[in-house]
Amino acid sequence: MTKKIIIKSVFVLLISTAVFANENDCNQFDKLSAKYIECTAKKLKTSTGEKLNAGKKKFDKSSFKDTWTKFKNSKNGKEFMEKLKNDN
C-alpha cells in the first residue's frame, strides 16, 4: 500500500516538474548579463513564431490571399486590373 502511494507521489512530482520546466523565468538572471539576453531572445523567438503561424493561418483563410497572388503574378497594374475584371 505504501509503495503505491510513494510511486504515485514520485510520478506526480516528475510530471509537474516537466510542466514547469517549459516556462522560462528570465528574472533569475542579472538584467545586464548575457544569460538574461539569451533567455529573453528565446522567449521572444518562440512567441513570435507562434504569432506568425497564427497570422499565416488567418491569411490563408481570407479572400485577400487570392487578390494578393494575382497582384504578385501580374507584370504591371494594367494586367492586374484586367485579371480582376475577368474574375468578376
Side-chain angles (χ1 to χ4, degrees):
M1 179 74 178
T2 57
K3 288 182 181 180
K4 288 183 180 180
I5 294 173
I6 291 173
I7 291 173
K8 287 180 183 180
S9 62
V10 169
F11 182 72
V12 169
L13 182 65
L14 291 174
I15 296 293
S16 65
T17 56
V19 170
F20 293 124
N22 292 338
E23 181 68 28
N24 291 336
D25 185 25
C26 298
N27 292 332
Q28 65 185 354
F29 304 116
D30 186 28
K31 293 210 181 219
L32 297 176
S33 69
K35 293 274 189 185
Y36 180 78
I37 294 170
E38 182 181 340
C39 180
T40 54
K42 285 181 183 177
K43 284 177 70 174
L44 182 64
K45 185 177 179 180
T46 56
S47 66
T48 304
E50 291 170 358
K51 289 180 183 179
L52 183 65
N53 289 336
K56 283 182 181 179
K57 288 178 185 176
K58 191 174 183 181
F59 180 74
D60 288 341
K61 292 179 183 177
S62 70
S63 62
F64 182 69
K65 179 184 176 189
D66 297 330
T67 308
W68 179 251
T69 55
K70 289 176 189 173
F71 177 73
K72 284 185 1 181
N73 294 333
S74 63
K75 294 179 182 177
N76 54 28
K78 183 178 178 183
E79 184 181 338
F80 173 65
M81 294 306 288
E82 289 174 358
K83 286 182 182 180
L84 284 179
K85 286 180 186 177
N86 291 337
D87 288 339
N88 292 333

